[in-house]
Amino acid sequence: AQTVTQSQPEMSVQEAETVTLSCTYDTSESDYYLFWYKQPPSRQMILVIRQEAYKQQNATENRFSVNFQKAAKSFSLKISDSQLGDAAMYFCAYRSDNQGGKLIFGQGTELSVKP
Amino acid sequence: DAGITQSPRHKVTETGTPVTLRCHQTENHRYMYWYRQDPGHGLRLIHYSYGVKDTDKGEVSDGYSVSRSKTEDFLLTLESATSSQTSVYFCATGGPSGGETQYFGPGTRLLVL
């Protein structure tokens, strides 16, 4: 069975600085998808970025980018130029290419942004 | 996102009572999912559906049942609520292919006394 681990329960960053959130996963599959979701205090789950395992190029969405290391089974999220609105819980998630598309989530990392 | 609504948004109930949560989507997505969120566990899959009347169990399905009689509606039922089912419940939908991104509803906060 696949597992996802986020080893940093809490992180803090100064406004305008850069922060990296860690995620590791375990799988025997070769085709899969990885996601980062953001959950602000409103509880809404918001997709931040996604990565297809077959793509070697790291995904980027504006200030958000990932460092995908397939061999190491690592998928970290880098937030550049941090803003107060980035403060939230961040979840890393794994999705198999089969198995009904269900997501397997990590435990989450609570990010605070200091002004 | 994806026109997903959940009802009710908040509910307080007593142990032993039945509870039904509803998820409604307007995007005609084939796949629908129910997750629960608890501190320290992230989100965990309860049940999912891959079409009308087609459902399957997830990681934490004990004590829950689901039904899907129409593409747009996916119901989650707690037959006899217990305090361990106090949680926040999220519905999600996905497109027809395995790689489609899942979009989430706003969540339902359930308290079982």
Side-chain angles (χ1 to χ4, degrees), chain A:
Chain A
Q2 297 87 8
T3 59
V4 177
T5 301
Q6 294 177 248
S7 59
Q8 306 154 317
E10 299 174 349
M11 291 282 286
S12 180
V13 64
Q14 205 71 32
E15 194 175 7
E17 297 295 309
T18 296
V19 64
T20 298
L21 307 184
S22 300
C23 173
T24 59
Y25 59 94
D26 187 29
T27 184
S28 59
E29 299 178 324
S30 58
D31 293 326
Y32 50 87
Y33 302 82
L34 296 165
F35 303 84
W36 279 98
Y37 281 89
K38 171 185 178 181
Q39 186 180 44
S42 66
R43 284 207 313 263
Q44 181 68 49
M45 293 290 287
I46 302 166
L47 178 67
V48 175
I49 200 164
R50 66 175 264 167
Q51 174 80 44
E52 292 85 350
Y54 62 85
K55 289 186 177 179
Q56 294 184 339
Q57 186 173 5
N58 289 326
T60 299
E61 289 288 343
N62 300 315
R63 297 183 295 107
F64 299 87
S65 62
V66 298
N67 183 5
F68 173 49
Q69 301 289 329
K70 190 172 183 179
K73 297 179 183 175
S74 171
F75 183 61
S76 60
L77 175 69
K78 185 172 79 171
I79 306 174
S80 303
D81 186 26
S82 297
Q83 301 175 0
L84 295 178
D86 294 333
M89 181 73 85
Y90 287 82
F91 291 98
C92 177
Y94 171 102
R95 178 174 180 166
S96 173
D97 198 25
N98 47 40
Q99 298 184 30
K102 49 195 173 187
L103 289 170
I104 299 170
F105 286 86
Q107 304 90 329
T109 296
E110 181 82 48
L111 177 67
S112 59
V113 181
K114 297 178 179 178

Side-chain angles (χ1 to χ4, degrees), chain B:
Chain B
D1 281 358
I4 305 170
T5 57
Q6 292 184 230
S7 59
R9 294 292 312 279
H10 303 272
K11 186 172 182 65
V12 180
T13 190
E14 293 187 351
T15 298
T17 60
V19 176
T20 295
L21 308 183
R22 178 178 183 248
C23 177
H24 179 80
Q25 57 132 337
T26 59
E27 297 296 316
N28 201 37
H29 284 161
R30 178 182 169 192
Y31 286 82
M32 297 185 74
Y33 308 82
W34 277 108
Y35 295 88
R36 61 178 287 174
Q37 182 178 18
D38 305 290
H41 289 280
L43 280 75
R44 292 179 292 174
L45 182 67
I46 305 171
H47 282 279
Y48 70 101
S49 170
Y50 47 96
V52 173
K53 297 189 192 302
D54 293 322
T55 64
D56 203 353
K57 295 179 179 180
E59 177 187 1
V60 289
S61 60
D62 287 348
Y64 301 95
S65 63
V66 291
S67 66
R68 192 169 179 201
S69 59
K70 298 185 290 185
T71 298
E72 57 267 33
D73 290 326
F74 191 32
L75 303 182
L76 176 70
T77 298
L78 291 65
E79 300 290 347
S80 177
T82 67
S83 58
S84 64
Q85 292 176 313
T86 291
S87 187
V88 179
Y89 291 85
F90 286 94
C91 174
T93 71
S97 66
E100 290 290 334
T101 297
Q102 286 186 25
Y103 296 97
F104 285 79
T108 293
R109 182 177 290 276
L110 175 67
L111 175 61
V112 183
L113 300 174

